[in-house]
Structure formats: structure tokens, C-alpha cells
Amino acid sequence: MGDMTNSDFYSKNQRNESSHGGEFGCTMEELRSLMELRGTEAVVKIKETYGDTEAICRRLKTSPVEGLPGTAPDLEKRKQIFGQNFIPPKKPKTFLQLVWEALQDVTLIILEIAAIISLGLSFYHPPGESNEGCATAQGGAEDEGEAEAGWIEGAAILLSVICVVLVTAFNDWSKEKQFRGLQSRIEQEQKFTVVRAGQVVQIPVAEIVVGDIAQIKYGDLLPADGLFIQGNDLKIDESSLTGESDQVRKSVDKDPMLLSGTHVMEGSGRMVVTAVGVNSQTGIIFTLLGAGGEEEEKKDKKAKQQDGAAAMEMQPLKSAEGGDADDKKKANMHKKEKSVLQGKLTKLAVQIGKAGLVMSAITVIILVLYFTVDTFVVNKKPWLTECTPVYVQYFVKFFIIGVTVLVVAVPEGLPLAVTISLAYSVKKMMKDNNLVRHLDACETMGNATAICSDKTGTLTTNRMTVVQAYVGDTHYKEIPDPSSINAKTLELLVNAIAINSAYTTKILPPEKEGALPRQVGNKTECGLLGFVLDLRQDYEPVRSQMPEEKLYKVYTFNSVRKSMSTVIKMPDESFRMYSKGASEIVLKKCCKILSGAGEPRVFRPRDRDEMVKKVIEPMACDGLRTICVAYRDFPSSPEPDWDNENDILNELTCICVVGIEDPVRPEVPEAIRKCQRAGITVRMVTGDNINTARAIAIKCGIIHPGEDFLCLEGKEFNRRIRNEKGEIEQERIDKIWPKLRVLARSSPTDKHTLVKGIIDSTHTEQRQVVAVTGDGTNDGPALKKADVGFAMGIAGTDVAKEASDIILTDDNFSSIVKAVMWGRNVYDSISKFLQFQLTVNVVAVIVAFTGACITQDSPLKAVQMLWVNLIMDTFASLALATEPPTETLLLRKPYGRNKPLISRTMMKNILGHAVYQLTLIFTLLFVGEKMFQIDSGRNAPLHSPPSEHYTIIFNTFVMMQLFNEINARKIHGERNVFDGIFRNPIFCTIVLGTFAIQIVIVQFGGKPFSCSPLQLDQWMWCIFIGLGELVWGQVIATIPTSRLKFLKEAGRLTQKEEIPEEELNEDVEEIDHAERELRRGQILWFRGLNRIQTQIEVVNTFKSGASFQGALRRQSSVTSQSQDVASLSSPSRVSLSNALSSPTSLPPAAAGQG
């Protein structure tokens, strides 16, 4: 089913409809066209066609109160007629497509062509072959038998190319599979509350059917289209569909249309589902954008024929989305930078590629020149026509050597290492309760320098309990005995708490014996309901007497009101309003308070100040959150103007003030200490009052008494950062944030302002990398703005999860520390691999180059080079990228954005080991035959059999790499390279495996690998020289890096280059006249870079699909990312559809360069 493209989906639904049209009172088509209307039009249409929403419910055979019966046959029928609630995903690439993509690599294409020419020539025996005068330049005529074997080298090269391609394709394939698994897991975790057979149940979003009655509340992301049937104060953010940021107020009689993919910003209610999946508004847009893939055009036509109206209606939406994307791109530029690591890697790869290109070009030129001069000038041979094929064969051989140098120089293992490392980390992070939605967030987290954390639920357990109360003029330090409270007050208190809270909030019996009762719903309300139970009262009877439908008016909680009120009609037709909220806010609105006798008495401002001093501040200093419960009575006539909130929420009578404790999670103080030791500043941003916040910050260890720090309230913070005109000034923020540790009573905008201020600050020499945690809908902007946004998996709303990069599945702060550890580990793994890879590259290139120049033949043959390159790169990237992280990673400061990828220490290691390896290889090359008393392999003729001499060189080279791989496990100059080696079984397996294969190649590789079998003593020497690497590693570690000032670091990102366009322009200017010739080669190299981009692309594809409702909004950001290597000029709307139709199409990087 999942593979069905949208057009099949439609036609199937169409067929079903015609056959089942009569079973329900309205068809899918009618409902779809109804959902396309907005506001008053919709109301009119409903009135004309159906009567009212109740009538639609009847036609859909559902009850607004009881919901669907929920029987399997009924649900099945609904799915058949109205469709299922999922959008068919795009087909994954087949393995063959991936193979084809891997084949596009330019270096491989060059190799294939060279190998084919070499093959063709080996089968072509020209008449002049026997002519002595042709090719004696290399001395020694060849055996007849050997001439037969000329084809082997070409075949072997082709074979190794096939190996490389298969390995690459397999990696891409398994990667994509992993992402899909991850994605489906994210999607399965999305549940929604519906009413079925009178029971409120949570079901996976994909299970929702037309006719379901869904309960919606603050913070939900609507999973399907529907009509609003009952609720209060519902406000929706429809910007994801319309691009307008104003919240839309919904009501049954003015605007009942609720659309999928929109966010509930306030209020709660019920809706009847009228369209799901591809028929919902989001689904229609997806269809128009061709999310179904290849059959885009066909489907577009089909959709247009089906209903021109729908297509026309959606057109402006699409362009609106396009415009929106442009603004978003500007606003979010820093989010769209390539992740720090990718920026550094791309730059490094380009540098290496240029060097390799120059080296290989020179190698080929020298070889060709030497051969021609030697043959035609020195030996004065005439150019004989019958000898041409022989000469061509020589030139092809030189060309192959040149290409091999290039292949070895280009580190194609790099993108592989990054991908393996990230994919491995993401998989393991799942176990550590981090669900990574955007791959690069994992690596960015390793560089984090600041964490802005919520208090409730993240640093604390989010299990609220009332521990103190002030009722009837008495301050109780623990829960009072119910008999000590006046009966009238007690009854008022129970009613106020039971009625004025969401009815979805309940306290259920514990699941296991001896566990705590389960708190469901809003935790603060659970705390208050718990207080009612502790007073030996019960809230259920009160609620059943006054069911939700009977509530007259509800002012739901939001971040502006900071209180919640519910109005009910009393039996005598008068009204009573219960209120609860932050004590300092609600107490300001109280003019009376219940005395010990349960009678209201006057409550003057000075009484209030006294109460704040005597009751509220002491509670807050104990780290309690204070909530005030109050009520007010209104006469039945004249009925008050309920929309005038300021008059209504005033002149209240205070019933009680309670202190709610939210204990600090036991593991948090330790986690925060680790962060501080790792050089990460933890800041607390909370809506609580400043005393509570400070008390908890001290408990957590965010602030230590006696230190120089700031704790500010939102108001004070805003006063300090704004100038006279009320505009925010960066330099004012710069004065505050370095010392700020606690921001209390903060609004979502304050949080966003703080995060933005820290990120944009140039106050420190390193740009700060900020992580933010959030759970509420209001945290969305801050989560999006941050470098890494963490959303809470349990308490978090859909909106917060949508905006985040990583979801903490256990809502626990200590999981963030694990994320830091993994992020740093990714960075280190890649550095380890780089150190190893570059040593191999430097040595192989120099050996091939000098060998070719001195002996007209590379000591390491093409096939051997490919083996070293493929196996060393691919396997080493696996071995080094899967090192598990250790606690020691948390002992160093973050690297920051500008630190180079290859530090001085690493440079020292690379050059040090290269010196050792080159010395030994050249010794073996020039005096090896004397040392081992064997024939010299130098100056052998074209098809001569492989020599023991060159086999020893090849074998020694591989042995040295194997032992150097162990050295590469440490990059900070540590002595013990074996530390924790057995904790990484993959590493051990790979080292041993490579060794075993090497034995096979040398002993049985024969002609294809240009190897001749070696004696045991020769093997011993090879291994001995390899072991020398470990000893030499210790020698290098002894040299202090500080002395080696001349070593340059590489792979540094400067400020300018964080924006990719500039990087491109710089590169273009750098090319001077001498390099003009190399332009073409350079373009080739840039296309060769497509490997790295493919990796980035796959990551993006995954991003774009992380959950389908948010995909549309993110799509714009994905496009800009996939094109950050190309110039960002294409209009956003065009690229939007391109990005959807071909997530892994390669950006035209070369075009930007050419």
C-alpha cells in the first residue's frame, strides 16, 4: 500500500466512491469541495446543503458525543470510501539506481575508460609487434606467455571499480533504509485523541477515519481536516497553509473549518473529521507538488481534470508558500549554513582534490615526455607506423598511472566516514533517548557552548504536588487536615479546582502496586487535583454533575493571561466564575479574601503586599510554584459582557494560595556539573517567578552562591536590552548574556530574543553554538532559531516537536549530556579517519609520483592502489567511525566554529608517519633487491611478470597502514593507542580481516594484483616494519607540538565562508592564468565532489520527510540546503517542486565553478 503513488490512490478512491456513494449521506468529493471553502462561505454552504454540523454528523453516521462505534468492519468501510489518513511516501531508490548514481563518479569513469582501452589494446596484436625496433626502450623482450596476460590488468581495474561502486551503493542503500525506519518510528509515535463508543482513546494518526470525533487542545497539530462542533476559545495558526501569521478564531457559527497541518494555539474543543490523507488540504498540496514521485505530470493532469476548482484554489497557495519560503530563507540563514563539519570537510576536500589533480597531471606529463625523449631522441628510433599500437599501449599505461594517483589523492572515504559515523551515532543515540530528526544536529551538538533549558519537566520531574497552602488566614506548611478548614471554603475550593481545569486532566490509580498515582494531562492541574484528593475529597462527582458541555464560557490558559477561568450557570440563573493562575497575577485582581470563618472580607493592596512578603516569597524561596485559586459571582441580569476580559477577570475573591513543588530530577545536578566541566554554560529560562527559579537553579547547580551571575525577570531583561525607542540592541544584549544564568517570568518572545542575541553575538572570539530545550507550543520560535532544538518527547506538544532537531524521548536533561558526548564523538571520529586517510594519501601520491619520475613505473600498481584506496578508506572509515564515546570527551572545551579540522597535533602525526613510511618505501625501492637478494623490479618491460621486489614494497606499505590505523585511534597526542580497543569489536574485526585478505592477495593474487608469493622471512620483515609504526608513533608523541610553529592547520572555516555563495565566488577569483588550463579538470573534480553532496542530499531527503505535516513548511528550507553549493538564485517555487520530485538530484555544483 505504501508504494502506491497518489494517482493510483485517487483512481482507486474514485472507483470505490461510485460504487459506495449511497452508504453515507455525502460523498468524498462533496466533503472535499466543502473543506476548500473558508469562513462565512463555508457556513452558508453548510446551512444550504446540510442544515448544520449536527446534520453532517448524522450523514456520516457518527455521534458528536459518543463518536464512532469503532467496530472493525465500519472503520474498514470508511477507509475504503473516504481513504486512509496517510500520504503515500515516495518510492525509495532501487539498488540499481544507487549503483548507477555511484557510477557517475568522474574518477571512476576515467578509470573505466582507461581500463577498457587497455583491455582492447591487449587483444590487438599489430604486425609490428615482433619488430625489435619498437619498444626496447624499457629493455628485455617479453615472454610469449606474458603477452597473453596483458588483459589482466585492465580486467582487474574494472573489477575493482565494480567493487567500489557496489560498496558505495550498498552504503547509500542501507543509509536510506535506516532513515525510513527512523521516519516511520517518528510517525508511529504521533498519536491523537478521539472519542470512540463514548470512550476517549488515543490512536495513531494514520488510524483516524472520516467521521471520527477528535478532541483537540492547545498545542496540537491537526492530523486531518474537520468541522468544529463544540469547544471554547479555539484559536488556530493557519500560517502553514495560508502564510498569514495571524491566529484565526474558530467558532461553530462563524468559521468552523479546521485544516490538517495547522496548529492549535489556544483553547480546546471537538471536531468531526471530514477529510483524511490525500484528500485533506495538506494532502492536496502534496499531490500538486508531486510527492508521489515520477508520475507527476500524469497526476497533475488527473487532479486538474478531477476538479479544476481544487487545482485553481491551490495555485495561489503554492505561490504564497514560495514567497514565504523566500522570507524564511532570509530569516533563517544561519540555520541553512552547511553544518560546521560539512563546511570544513567540503573545503578540505576541494584543497586535497586540487593538489591531487596537479600531481597526477605532472606525473602523466613526465612519464610521456621521458618515454618519448628516451625512445625517439636519445635512442634515435624512427616512428614506425606498425609500432603505433605498442606506443599507444605505453601511453595508456602512463595515463592509468596518472589516474590512479588522482584516485588515491581524492579522499572519497571522507563522505563515507561522515555518513557512517552520523548514522551509527544516530542509531546508538536512540538507545540514549535521543531521537535525532536532523542528522547534522548530532554533530552540531558536539560544538555547543550554551544550553538554554526549560525548568519544568526538563530539570524537574514534572510531577507536581501541593506541599504548602494558605487557606482561611492560616499558612499550612504541610497538607492541612480537612477538618481544620471551614466547610464552605472547602466546598468552594473543591469546585473551583474540579471545574476550572481541563476535563482531560485526571489522576488515575497507579499501574503497578506501590507506584505513585498516574498523572494524566496538565501537570499543574494534576497537582491541584491531587491536593483535592489529599483533602479526602473527590473531584469526579463535581465533574459529572457539571459536564463539559454545560460550561458556559472558558478562558483557557495562554502565555499572555497566565491564568485560566471557567464560568458556570448556577441553579438560580446567576453566574459564577472560578479562576486560577500565577499568584502574583491573580492576587492583583482580588479585592476580597475568604476568612477563617469562610466569609469574604476586604483585601486591600497593603494586605496583598503583606501576603506576598509573609506567604508567597517564603514559598518561592523553598522552590515552590505558587498558584492562587479565586472566584467571582455575577448577577443573572444584566448578563455581563463576556468578551470584555479586563472587567470580567477582576474583583475576584481569593479562596486559597497553594505552593506546588516540582522536585529536581535526581540526575540533573550531576549532568549540569558535567556540562560546566565540558565548557558549556547552562542557562535556565522559565515562566516561574524569580525566587522559585533561583531556588531551583541553586539546587541544580546552575548557579553557585558567591559567584558573579545575573538572575533577571522578563520585564527587567526587556528593559535592559531595549533602547529609548523600544528596539532591541545587540550591544545591550552583549552586556547581559555572558553573566545571565536565570531568566524568570519570561515569555516565549524573551526566550527567542535571548537565543537570537547569544547566537548573533560577536562579543566572544568564537561564535556561540546554542542548544535550546522546549516543550510548549510557545517554544517553537526559539527551538527553530537555535542551532540545536531539543523537544520533550513526553510532555512536548506536536508544534514543539515539529520545530525541533532532536526529541528527548524521556524528557530528561541528562540525555542532553549524552547528545553532547555523541556529537563530540562524531567530530573526533572524523578527525581520526582524516589523520589516517591523509597519511595514506600523502605517501601513496608521493610514492607513485617519484617512482614514476625516476623509474617510469609506479612501484604501486593501479590495482594495488585501488585496493589500498577502497579497502583502507571504506573499511577504515567503518572501523574509526564506530568508536564508542567515552566520558573523557566531556573533559575538554567545545571546539567552536573556527577551529580547524586538522589540528597541529594531527598535522604532526600525519607528516611524522609519512616521513617514516616514505623513508622505508624508498629504501626498499632502491636497495631492497640487495637487502633481500632478489631480482630488481625496476625498469621491467611492459608485460613482465610481477616481481618479488615490488610485492614486498606493496606488502610493507599495507602493513604500515594497518598498524597506523591503530595509531589513528588517538588524535590528541595520547600515549596509549590501545586504550579501549576491545570495546570496539568492529575495529578489531576490520583490522584482522584486512590482514587476512592481504595475505590472500599477496600469496594468490598473482598477475591481476601484480604480486608474486613471498617467503615467510620476507613476510616477517614486512610485519616488523609495520610494527615499527607503533614505536614511531610514541616517538612522534614525544615531540612537543608547541615547538612546531611552522605546521599549518587545514580545514578552517573563516567567518566569511559560513555562507556558501561567497565560498564559490572566492574560489573563482583564486584561479589565475596558469590554472586556466586546469579549469576543466577542476570542473571534473567538482563533479567528483558529488559524493559528498549525495550524502548531504540523503540527509536532506530524510529531513524533508521527517513527518509529513511539517514537510511542507520545511521543504523550503530543504531546497535552500540542497542548493547551498549551487548559487541560490533559482526562484524558490520552482525549486520547491524539484526538491520534492527528486530529493537526491545533485546540485549543479560544477556549473557554479565553470
Side-chain angles (χ1 to χ4, degrees):
M1 179 80 209
D3 289 341
M4 201 191 264
T5 57
N6 291 348
S7 48
D8 304 348
F9 209 77
Y10 268 135
S11 46
K12 182 163 178 243
N13 283 333
Q14 242 61 47
R15 281 198 303 280
N16 288 339
E17 212 175 309
S18 49
S19 54
H20 294 285
E23 299 204 12
F24 293 98
C26 37
T27 64
M28 181 178 80
E29 247 343 78
E30 287 169 11
L31 288 174
R32 236 177 88 178
S33 50
L34 172 65
M35 290 320 289
E36 264 148 26
L37 304 173
R38 304 276 178 273
T40 41
E41 289 176 44
V43 178
V44 173
K45 171 92 171 153
I46 291 173
K47 272 213 173 67
E48 285 173 2
T49 320
Y50 305 100
D52 59 358
T53 42
E54 296 275 325
I56 293 186
C57 289
R58 279 198 297 280
R59 287 192 179 200
L60 288 173
K61 302 186 181 165
T62 178
S63 140
V65 183
E66 298 282 312
L68 291 177
T71 57
D74 177 54
L75 295 178
E76 207 37 59
K77 197 162 72 185
R78 287 173 192 271
K79 277 184 191 168
Q80 271 194 333
I81 297 180
F82 297 110
Q84 289 178 302
N85 194 23
F86 76 91
I87 290 181
K90 193 168 178 243
K91 279 186 182 157
K93 291 204 162 153
T94 59
F95 189 67
L96 288 175
Q97 279 171 310
L98 291 170
V99 168
W100 178 244
E101 269 176 21
L103 274 171
Q104 309 298 313
D105 189 338
V106 178
T107 39
L108 289 180
I109 293 175
I110 298 176
L111 266 180
E112 287 156 27
I113 295 170
I116 290 168
I117 296 176
S118 160
L119 262 179
L121 284 172
S122 68
F123 290 126
Y124 171 60
H125 296 301
E129 176 123 25
S130 52
N131 187 330
E132 285 302 305
C134 280
T136 46
Q138 303 301 77
E142 46 195 60
D143 278 336
E144 276 304 300
E146 292 307 331
E148 300 304 300
W151 60 273
I152 291 184
E153 182 169 37
I157 293 179
L158 281 180
L159 200 72
S160 34
V161 166
I162 291 170
C163 270
V164 175
V165 168
L166 287 178
V167 168
T168 317
F170 178 74
N171 273 303
D172 287 348
W173 178 77
S174 58
K175 206 161 52 191
E176 197 146 320
K177 203 168 119 216
Q178 264 179 347
F179 292 152
R180 284 186 181 268
L182 192 62
Q183 207 172 318
S184 60
R185 175 163 166 179
I186 291 177
E187 280 166 12
Q188 279 158 11
E189 285 194 349
Q190 270 186 312
K191 285 198 159 48
F192 210 78
T193 316
V194 296
V195 181
R196 284 196 180 164
Q199 294 292 317
V200 177
V201 288
Q202 282 213 328
I203 58 169
V205 169
E207 294 292 309
I208 293 177
V209 294
V210 171
D212 257 324
I213 304 293
Q215 288 200 344
I216 49 180
K217 59 182 188 313
Y218 159 77
D220 281 344
L221 192 139
L222 299 183
D225 293 355
L227 296 173
F228 187 44
I229 32 182
Q230 168 261 318
N232 36 57
D233 217 14
L234 191 70
K235 284 189 188 152
I236 304 271
D237 168 16
E238 292 189 348
S239 59
S240 58
L241 278 179
T242 60
E244 288 169 26
S245 54
D246 298 345
Q247 294 179 7
V248 186
R249 199 187 198 110
K250 298 287 177 184
S251 62
V252 180
D253 45 3
K254 292 202 181 66
D255 181 2
M257 314 308 274
L258 300 174
L259 306 173
S260 58
T262 57
H263 295 134
V264 183
M265 300 311 275
E266 252 182 61
S268 59
R270 288 181 176 194
M271 72 170 190
V272 55
V273 176
T274 54
V276 292
V278 283
N279 303 308
S280 65
Q281 293 301 299
T282 311
I284 292 173
I285 295 187
F286 260 86
T287 312
L288 287 174
L289 288 176
E294 296 65 49
E295 301 172 28
E296 206 172 352
E297 293 76 29
K298 277 191 264 175
K299 191 167 44 223
D300 258 352
K301 282 183 201 136
K302 207 159 205 173
K304 284 196 175 91
Q305 286 157 9
Q306 263 174 5
D307 44 36
M312 289 321 295
E313 177 87 11
M314 301 319 283
Q315 233 40 50
L317 268 181
K318 211 162 152 190
S319 53
E321 182 63 34
D324 198 33
D326 262 353
D327 301 342
K328 270 190 192 156
K329 207 180 286 179
K330 288 190 196 91
N332 267 9
M333 195 58 198
H334 99 271
K335 191 82 170 180
K336 303 298 165 284
E337 290 163 11
K338 282 183 282 194
S339 80
V340 188
L341 186 63
Q342 264 155 7
K344 290 178 180 177
L345 277 177
T346 313
K347 196 157 186 286
L348 191 70
V350 173
Q351 291 167 344
I352 297 175
K354 283 182 184 170
L357 200 68
V358 176
M359 291 289 275
S360 64
I362 298 175
T363 312
V364 175
I365 294 167
I366 291 183
L367 283 169
V368 171
L369 280 177
Y370 191 99
F371 175 75
T372 42
V373 170
D374 194 51
T375 311
F376 302 119
V377 182
V378 183
N379 296 338
K380 300 193 173 51
K381 292 261 167 63
W383 178 289
L384 300 170
T385 41
E386 60 267 29
C387 290
T388 311
V390 183
Y391 297 143
V392 173
Q393 209 157 351
Y394 269 107
F395 291 141
V396 169
K397 180 181 159 189
F398 299 150
F399 182 63
I400 288 183
I401 290 172
V403 175
T404 317
V405 172
L406 180 65
V407 171
V408 175
V410 177
E412 57 272 47
L414 260 186
L416 195 63
V418 180
T419 318
I420 291 176
S421 183
L422 284 172
Y424 171 76
S425 306
V426 167
K427 217 167 165 180
K428 289 281 190 229
M429 281 168 81
M430 289 274 231
K431 294 200 177 90
D432 284 340
N433 304 311
N434 286 297
L435 181 68
V436 183
R437 292 183 63 228
H438 298 157
L439 258 194
D440 48 0
C442 163
E443 161 256 315
T444 314
M445 202 48 219
N447 290 325
T449 53
I451 297 176
C452 297
S453 171
D454 262 8
K455 174 180 78 70
T456 313
T458 315
L459 299 172
T460 57
T461 53
N462 202 7
R463 220 200 128 73
M464 310 280 189
T465 38
V466 174
V467 285
Q468 296 189 20
Y470 179 86
V471 194
D473 295 342
T474 325
H475 184 174
Y476 297 96
K477 293 283 187 181
E478 60 246 10
I479 302 289
D481 188 73
S483 57
S484 63
I485 301 174
N486 178 289
K488 214 159 74 182
T489 311
L490 190 58
E491 189 194 356
L492 259 175
L493 178 60
V494 173
N495 278 334
I497 291 175
I499 292 172
N500 184 30
S501 56
Y503 278 34
T504 48
T505 304
K506 305 185 181 69
I507 292 195
L508 301 176
E511 281 176 340
K512 296 191 193 77
E513 277 295 305
L516 294 165
R518 279 183 299 158
Q519 297 188 338
V520 181
N522 180 311
K523 300 298 185 201
T524 312
E525 291 179 353
C526 286
L528 290 167
L529 292 175
F531 180 52
V532 170
L533 297 176
D534 289 340
L535 291 171
R536 299 203 272 283
Q537 307 293 317
D538 192 2
Y539 60 88
E540 281 297 348
V542 181
R543 280 185 175 178
S544 46
Q545 206 179 340
M546 175 63 66
E548 207 169 355
E549 295 77 56
K550 282 201 193 161
L551 301 181
Y552 196 78
K553 170 96 181 133
V554 179
Y555 300 94
T556 49
F557 181 89
N558 66 23
S559 49
V560 181
R561 288 193 191 117
K562 290 218 189 288
S563 68
M564 170 179 177
S565 313
T566 305
V567 181
I568 57 171
K569 215 171 187 169
M570 304 297 276
D572 61 358
E573 294 295 304
S574 67
F575 299 99
R576 173 172 287 176
M577 176 179 76
Y578 293 115
S579 262
K580 69 164 188 289
S583 54
E584 53 264 57
I585 290 169
V586 177
L587 277 178
K588 280 196 185 112
K589 298 177 177 165
C590 291
C591 61
K592 297 194 174 116
I593 186 166
L594 292 182
S595 66
E599 293 304 319
R601 61 177 170 80
V602 181
F603 185 61
R604 289 183 296 274
R606 65 156 188 264
D607 299 338
R608 186 173 67 229
D609 297 342
E610 170 131 343
M611 183 152 167
V612 167
K613 265 203 205 70
K614 295 265 173 67
V615 179
I616 290 173
E617 281 184 3
M619 280 188 186
C621 290
D622 292 343
L624 303 184
R625 187 174 180 176
T626 53
I627 303 275
C628 174
V629 183
Y631 78 101
R632 176 182 178 184
D633 286 327
F634 297 98
S636 56
S637 64
E639 188 172 328
D641 172 12
W642 298 115
D643 288 336
N644 184 351
E645 272 185 47
N646 293 343
D647 290 357
I648 302 284
L649 297 179
N650 219 335
E651 300 181 18
L652 307 174
T653 307
C654 168
I655 304 174
C656 75
V657 172
V658 294
I660 295 188
E661 181 183 49
D662 185 5
V664 171
R665 285 175 178 264
E667 61 281 344
V668 162
E670 172 61 16
I672 287 181
R673 214 175 61 243
K674 281 183 185 162
C675 281
Q676 288 162 340
R677 206 172 51 211
I680 302 171
T681 315
V682 182
R683 294 181 174 82
M684 180 159 103
V685 184
T686 173
D688 252 342
N689 75 37
I690 191 142
N691 296 332
T692 312
R694 193 185 286 122
I696 293 216
I698 290 173
K699 279 185 193 163
C700 291
I702 291 178
I703 53 184
H704 303 285
E707 273 182 3
D708 180 20
F709 57 81
L710 279 174
C711 292
L712 294 179
E713 281 202 338
K715 275 194 190 125
E716 173 68 8
F717 173 69
N718 274 310
R719 197 180 58 69
R720 289 200 193 182
I721 61 172
R722 292 173 194 276
N723 57 17
E724 296 69 54
K725 295 187 200 139
E727 295 159 350
I728 297 173
E729 285 187 2
Q730 185 63 44
E731 49 270 24
R732 288 176 182 240
I733 298 184
D734 285 350
K735 288 198 188 104
I736 295 178
W737 73 257
K739 288 187 179 173
L740 183 71
R741 290 294 177 275
V742 176
L743 184 59
R745 279 278 171 251
S746 69
S747 68
T749 31
D750 295 340
K751 191 169 184 176
H752 183 254
T753 309
L754 176 66
V755 172
K756 186 175 181 309
I758 299 181
I759 287 179
D760 296 347
S761 169
T762 48
H763 176 78
T764 47
E765 72 280 4
Q766 293 276 8
R767 146 150 145 51
Q768 296 278 313
V769 177
V770 184
V772 173
T773 70
D775 52 5
T777 306
N778 46 14
D779 293 324
L783 288 170
K784 263 208 162 67
K785 178 69 194 163
D787 291 291
V788 182
F790 284 92
M792 302 294 138
I794 304 168
T797 57
D798 294 346
V799 183
K801 290 180 188 171
E802 202 49 66
S804 70
D805 300 300
I806 297 180
I807 296 174
L808 295 178
T809 48
D810 63 344
D811 288 15
N812 193 335
F813 186 83
S814 59
S815 300
I816 298 180
V817 182
K818 298 238 177 68
V820 172
M821 213 153 85
W822 276 108
R824 292 187 170 188
N825 192 49
V826 167
Y827 207 94
D828 278 9
S829 294
I830 284 155
S831 296
K832 287 171 191 173
F833 174 67
L834 262 178
Q835 177 175 312
F836 172 70
Q837 164 94 48
L838 291 181
T839 316
V840 180
N841 286 12
V842 169
V843 176
V845 170
I846 295 179
V847 167
F849 176 70
T850 42
C853 298
I854 299 168
T855 67
Q856 286 81 63
D857 187 9
S858 161
L860 296 171
K861 299 289 182 285
V863 182
Q864 296 175 351
M865 292 264 218
L866 283 170
W867 152 249
V868 167
N869 197 41
L870 163 84
I871 303 305
M872 289 298 170
D873 286 11
T874 317
F875 283 4
S877 60
L878 248 179
L880 293 167
T882 51
E883 287 273 315
T886 55
E887 289 281 332
T888 47
L889 287 168
L890 293 174
L891 298 177
R892 65 167 172 79
K893 298 280 175 276
Y895 282 144
R897 295 193 153 248
N898 316 355
K899 177 162 185 317
L901 204 57
I902 299 177
S903 61
R904 280 228 177 100
T905 316
M906 286 168 62
M907 209 53 149
K908 178 183 76 175
N909 289 344
I910 291 172
L911 294 178
H913 288 296
V915 167
Y916 174 81
Q917 297 186 9
L918 285 171
T919 316
L920 279 160
I921 284 180
F922 283 134
T923 313
L924 284 174
L925 179 59
F926 295 114
V927 294
E929 71 271 25
K930 299 194 185 66
M931 287 162 54
F932 287 106
Q933 277 106 36
I934 48 175
D935 297 335
S936 164
R938 292 194 301 284
N939 298 334
L942 191 60
H943 291 305
S944 55
S947 63
E948 283 188 0
H949 182 191
Y950 275 15
T951 309
I952 290 178
I953 295 178
F954 166 56
N955 200 17
T956 310
F957 179 68
V958 173
M959 288 303 126
M960 291 198 284
Q961 301 323 326
L962 268 184
F963 287 104
N964 195 25
E965 200 167 331
I966 298 174
N967 275 330
R969 292 183 68 249
K970 298 283 177 251
I971 48 174
H972 298 297
E974 297 93 331
R975 287 249 172 226
N976 180 7
V977 288
F978 290 102
D979 178 35
I981 195 162
F982 294 115
R983 278 218 312 278
N984 186 357
I986 301 182
F987 184 87
C988 304
T989 322
I990 283 177
V991 172
L992 295 171
T994 316
F995 186 61
I997 300 175
Q998 178 64 18
I999 295 179
V1000 174
I1001 288 181
V1002 172
Q1003 296 306 96
F1004 309 105
K1007 183 80 189 174
F1009 280 98
S1010 316
C1011 287
S1012 90
L1014 298 181
Q1015 316 296 312
L1016 186 64
D1017 59 328
Q1018 292 165 334
W1019 263 101
M1020 282 306 156
W1021 274 106
C1022 294
I1023 293 173
F1024 176 71
I1025 297 174
L1027 275 167
E1029 272 286 355
L1030 295 174
V1031 183
W1032 183 247
Q1034 297 301 320
V1035 176
I1036 296 179
T1038 325
I1039 308 169
T1041 313
S1042 49
R1043 290 280 168 80
L1044 307 171
K1045 288 277 182 284
F1046 61 87
L1047 285 182
K1048 226 178 100 208
E1049 301 132 326
R1052 178 194 282 278
L1053 260 195
T1054 53
Q1055 287 299 317
K1056 262 199 303 202
E1057 283 151 9
E1058 289 192 354
I1059 297 170
E1061 285 156 291
E1062 294 189 352
E1063 194 171 286
L1064 293 181
N1065 301 344
E1066 274 182 358
D1067 276 352
V1068 176
E1069 285 153 22
E1070 273 173 19
I1071 303 175
D1072 57 21
H1073 296 289
E1075 275 189 291
R1076 293 252 176 224
E1077 303 311 307
L1078 290 170
R1079 266 278 182 100
R1080 293 181 59 76
Q1082 216 175 4
I1083 291 172
L1084 286 182
W1085 157 244
F1086 268 94
R1087 287 194 202 131
L1089 251 181
N1090 63 20
R1091 287 265 191 101
I1092 292 191
Q1093 276 141 10
T1094 310
Q1095 315 286 342
I1096 299 173
E1097 296 284 339
V1098 174
V1099 173
N1100 284 338
T1101 314
F1102 163 54
K1103 282 188 191 172
S1104 65
S1107 96
F1108 85 78
Q1109 288 107 330
L1112 252 193
R1113 284 189 301 298
R1114 267 202 317 278
Q1115 207 59 50
S1116 49
S1117 69
V1118 173
T1119 336
S1120 53
Q1121 262 182 349
S1122 63
Q1123 292 182 329
D1124 60 3
V1125 193
S1127 43
L1128 295 169
S1129 56
S1130 53
S1132 170
R1133 183 157 51 109
V1134 180
S1135 50
L1136 193 63
S1137 50
N1138 292 351
L1140 273 168
S1141 58
S1142 59
T1144 29
S1145 61
L1146 295 167
Q1153 289 302 322

